[in-house]
Every structure is written in structure tokens, then in C-alpha cells.
């Protein structure tokens, strides 16, 4: 959770500093969007191979090296004298952060019981929301008080210490007899493929709100940089953290009754959150905006714990980091890397508020796609026949593995 906290502080501190960076370098909205896109593109391309590496070697070592790398790159972002130098530094942050998510989620699923899997992943993701909100708040406060460069120095140093401490994380046992997951097997599972498509729309929407939220409330809603950082940070951390807790709890509870219970929570949250965000865009008063935007963050964040838990339910332990790495490669490269550019270009042409209707539509489409995931799990069960040999080849005794397969399929 602490690593995830620092992860998202370093990732999202830049968004509250977008207005200051834009004015310093004389950038358009589209050019500003390249800072988010460069980070996300490198993050995407690095996540999958680092996920495979974590499954084959040491998940703990991959996490530790990643934390050290991204923290160093964050520190050097403050030294950038040109826009291109800042662009390069932010891209390198993506390399380090790519190492953490698949390996970290795999460590959690290997360490805790399966029946609390969504709650464990959700608890870790609370660090993400708290870190993201802290980053947004710190970015706004420090940009206004000390300049945007100081913020990068301030948030980069703690990660260097945390990276060394990460070597004390548990190292899940790797059995040499386990058959390693092949990508072609994953791509033959309909439920997993549909999760990729649903995740595309969900990530496009979520990353757009994160990237352009601070600019929205400073330029359109009348907040100062300090007010924007504090108000948006508190709104997101309260709404998002509470939403993660509620979504993860509901997910695990329903999963006890039905194998598709974890996936069911996700589309409900997306559909409930869309109207709140729409009305938040079109209110001019500060307090109603924060309440509505926080409500939207609450419902949309339901998906964090159930998403990782659902992917790990579909795939045996030997492929947990690989499956999650492929997921993040796809959604980061083809959704999150595009979102700031697409919405930034639309904002240059039609205005930022009108452009932010795009992620609302994406959010609703993502919810519909996750409903298809529920249908496919109901139809095929959690353990698709394509992956049966991976499940039966686990370190459990063969009779026990087969009995678990039959029980979960029923």
C-alpha cells in the first residue's frame, strides 16, 4: 500500500502543475497532453515484459528496482531546463512504475486467501487513491508557493528509501514444475479478452478525469492552484478510497454466492457514476461541483479491487503477473496514452468542458462491456478449458486441484 501511495504521488503530482508548466514553456493543451502520453506510452510498453520477468524471476526484486528507478527519474524531472527534457524525464518515470503493478498484485494474491482477494487488492489501491490525491494536492500547493520544480524534488526522495525497504516484501514460492502461462492461451479466453476491451474504455475515462481535472477547476471553476490541489485532492481521496472499500467488499460478498459476483460490481459502479460527473461539469458553484465530482469518483472507483481479483480468478497463479502485465500494456498504450491527447485536442477546438463529455461516453461503454464479462463467466465458468492444464499443473495435489476446478465451475 505504501509503495502504491508513493507510486501515485509521483505519477499525479504533475497534473496540478499543468497550468504553471504550460505558462512557463508556452504550451498548448495538446502539447501539455504529451507529458502524460509520454509517461503512459513507456509505462505501457514496459509493463508486459516486466510482468513476465516477475513471474519467471523475483517479484520482490522487480518491485524494488522499479521503485528506485522511478523515484530517481521523478527527482530529475525538476532539473529539466526545456520541455523536451521534462518529456524525457517523465517518460523514464514510466519505466520504473511499470515494474510495480503486475508484480505487486501477484505478491498480494499469492500471500492472502482467495476469498478476500478483492478486498486485499482494494486495500492496496486505497494507497493509489491516497497517493494520487496527495500528489495533486502537493503539486498545487508547492507550485504556487515554491515553484513546480521543487515539487519534483520533494516527492522523489522518499521513494529512494522505500525502494530499498521493498526487498523485505515476501517472495512467493515459484515451483519449477509449474507450466508458465503463454500469451496465446490468454488471448483464447473470451472473458479475459472482453476484460481488455472493457478496461480500454474504463481507463480512457478515468485517466482523462485525472489528467484534466486540475486544469478544469482552475481554469473553468474559479479555484486557485492551492485551492484546486487541496479541494480536488480531498474530494478524490475521500470519494475514491470509500468507493474502493465499498466496491471490494461488495465484490467479495457476491463472489461467495456466484462465481461472476466480482465482475458484477464493476458495470454497476460505472453506470451510477456517469450522471454525477456530467452534472459536475455543468455546475458553476464550487461546493456542488466538488460533491458531484466526489460522488462520481466514489462510484467509478468500485472497479479497482474487483478488476485485479477477476483477472487473477481467471488465470492460475503462475500467470498472475503476466496476465495483469498484458492488461496494463493494452489499456495504458491504447487508452491512457491517447486520452490526454484526444481530449486535449478536443479542448483546443471546442473548450475543455465540452471535451470532457468524451470520457463520460467511454465510461458508459466500459460498463456495458464489463456486463458482457459477467455473461461470459456465467456461460463458461471462471476456469476456461483453454487454461485447464495450467490449473491442473499447479503445486496442489492433482486430486485437490481437480476438485477445486469442478467446485468453482459448478
Amino acid at each position: 500500500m505504501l509503495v502504491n501511495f508513493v507510486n501515485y504521488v509521483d505519477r499525479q503530482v504533475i497534473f496540478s502543475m499543468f497550468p504553471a508548466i504550460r505558462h512557463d514553456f508556452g504550451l498548448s493543451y495538446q502539447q501539455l497532453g504529451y507529458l502524460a502520453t509520454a509517461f503512459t506510452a513507456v509505462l505501457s510498453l514496459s509493463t508486459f515484459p516486466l510482468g513476465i520477468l516477475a513471474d519467471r524471476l523475483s517479484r520482490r526484486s522487480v518491485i524494488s528496482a522499479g521503485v528506485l528507478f522511478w523515484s530517481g527519474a521523478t527527482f530529475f524531472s525538476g532539473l529539466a531546463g526545456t520541455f523536451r527534457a521534462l518529456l524525457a524525464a517523465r517518460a523514464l518515470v514510466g519505466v520504473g512504475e511499470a515494474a510495480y503493478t503486475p508484480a505487486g498484485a501477484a505478491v498480494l494474491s499469492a500471500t492472502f486467501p482467495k476469498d478476500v482477494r478483492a478486498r486485499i487488492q482494494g486495500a492496496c489501491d486505497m494507497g493509489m487513491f491516497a497517493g494520487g490525491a496527495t500528489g495533486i494536492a502537493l503539486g498545487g500547493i508547492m507550485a504556487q508557493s515554491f515553484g513546480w520544480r521543487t515539487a519534483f524534488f520533494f516527492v522523489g526522495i522518499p521513494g529512494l528509501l522505500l525502494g530499498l525497504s521493498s526487498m523485505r516484501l515476501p517472495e512467493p514460492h515459484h515451483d519449477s514444475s509449474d507450466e508458465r502461462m503463454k500469451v496465446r492461451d490468454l488471448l483464447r479466453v473470451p472473458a479475459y479478452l472482453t476484460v481488455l476491451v472493457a478496461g480500454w474504455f474504463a481507463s480512457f475515462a478515468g485517466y482523462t478525469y485525472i489528467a484534466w481535472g486540475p486544469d478544469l477547476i482552475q481554469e473553468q471553476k474559479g479555484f486557485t492552484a492551492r485551492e484546486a490541489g487541496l479541494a480536488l485532492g480531498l474530494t478524490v481521496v475521500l470519494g475514491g478510497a470509500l468507493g474502493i472499500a465499498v466496491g471490494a467488499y461488495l465484490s467479495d460478498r457476491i463472489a461467495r454466492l456466484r462465481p461472476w459476483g466480482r465482475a458484477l460490481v464493476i458495470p454497476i459502479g460505472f453506470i451510477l457514476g456517469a450522471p454525477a460527473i456530467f452534472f459536475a461539469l455543468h455546475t458553476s458553484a464550487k461546493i456542488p461541483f466538488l460533491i458531484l465530482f466526489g460522488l462520481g469518483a466514489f462510484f467509478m472507483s468500485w472497479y479497482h479491487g474487483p478488476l485485479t481479483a477477476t483477472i487473477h480468478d481467471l488465470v492460475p497463479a503462475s500467470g498472475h503477473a503476466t496476465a495483469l502485465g498484458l492488461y496494463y500494456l493494452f489499456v495504458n498504450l491504447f487508452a491512457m496514452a491517447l486520452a490526454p491527447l484526444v481530449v486535449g485536442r478536443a479542448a483546443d477546438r471546442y473548450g475543455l468542458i465540452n471535451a470532457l463529455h468524451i470520457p463520460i461516453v467511454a465510461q458508459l461503454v466500459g460498463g456495458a462491456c464489463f456486463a458482457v464479462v459477467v455473461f461470459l463467466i456465467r456461460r463458461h465458468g471462471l476456469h476456461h478449458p483453454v487454461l485447464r492444464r495450467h490449473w491442473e499443473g499447479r503445486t496442489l495435489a492433482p486430486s485437490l486441484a481437480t476438485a477445486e476446478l469442478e467446485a468453482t465451475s459448478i
Side-chain angles (χ1 to χ4, degrees), residues 86-97:
L86 180 59
L87 198 65
R90 293 303 295 174
L92 291 176
V93 173
V95 177
E97 296 199 4

Side-chain angles (χ1 to χ4, degrees), residues 64-309:
S64 179
V67 178
L68 291 170
F69 193 94
W70 93 55
S71 299
T74 298
F75 185 89
F76 282 108
S77 296
L79 300 175
T82 65
F83 174 65
R84 288 186 179 181
L86 180 59
L87 198 65
R90 293 303 295 174
L92 291 176
V93 173
V95 177
E97 296 199 4
Y100 166 69
T101 303
V107 167
L108 291 176
S109 286
T111 305
F112 293 91
K114 183 179 178 180
D115 61 351
V116 295
R117 181 170 286 171
R119 274 173 282 178
I120 291 300
Q121 299 292 348
C124 182
D125 285 341
M126 286 185 186
M128 172 192 69
F129 261 88
T134 301
I136 290 173
L138 278 175
I141 293 169
M142 299 197 73
Q144 183 171 329
S145 301
F146 307 106
W148 59 268
R149 296 179 186 277
T150 305
F152 285 126
F153 301 145
F154 184 78
V155 302
I157 293 174
L160 298 174
L161 302 176
L162 188 59
L164 298 174
S165 300
S166 297
M167 287 303 296
R168 301 179 64 185
L169 287 170
E171 183 67 74
H173 174 67
H174 287 270
D175 195 303
S176 58
S177 65
D178 286 349
E179 184 179 0
R180 296 304 176 191
M181 185 66 58
K182 295 181 175 62
V183 176
R184 66 173 179 266
D185 289 340
L186 285 173
L187 297 180
R188 292 168 61 195
V189 179
Y192 180 76
L193 287 176
T194 310
V195 167
L196 294 183
V197 176
W200 188 98
F201 289 100
S203 297
F204 184 99
Y207 201 56
T208 298
Y209 299 140
I210 291 170
W212 295 115
D215 215 304
L216 169 71
I217 68 173
Q218 289 183 54
E219 301 291 334
Q220 307 292 330
K221 303 299 181 181
F223 289 78
T224 66
R226 184 189 297 271
E227 290 173 343
L230 287 173
L232 195 58
L234 288 173
T235 299
V236 170
V237 75
L238 291 176
L242 184 59
I244 287 176
V246 171
Y249 174 78
L250 292 175
S251 174
D252 280 338
R253 291 283 294 181
I254 300 173
R256 295 178 184 176
L257 305 175
R258 296 290 186 272
W260 39 265
R262 286 193 171 119
L264 179 65
V265 169
I266 299 172
I268 295 174
F270 281 176
I271 292 169
L272 292 176
I277 294 176
F278 176 84
F279 288 114
L281 294 179
H282 293 281
T283 182
S284 57
K286 293 181 179 180
I287 299 301
F289 168 81
L290 293 174
I291 293 172
L292 289 167
F293 198 80
L295 190 62
F298 167 77
F299 285 119
M300 191 162 182
S301 65
W302 279 16
Y303 88 101
H304 285 283
L307 171 68
T308 303

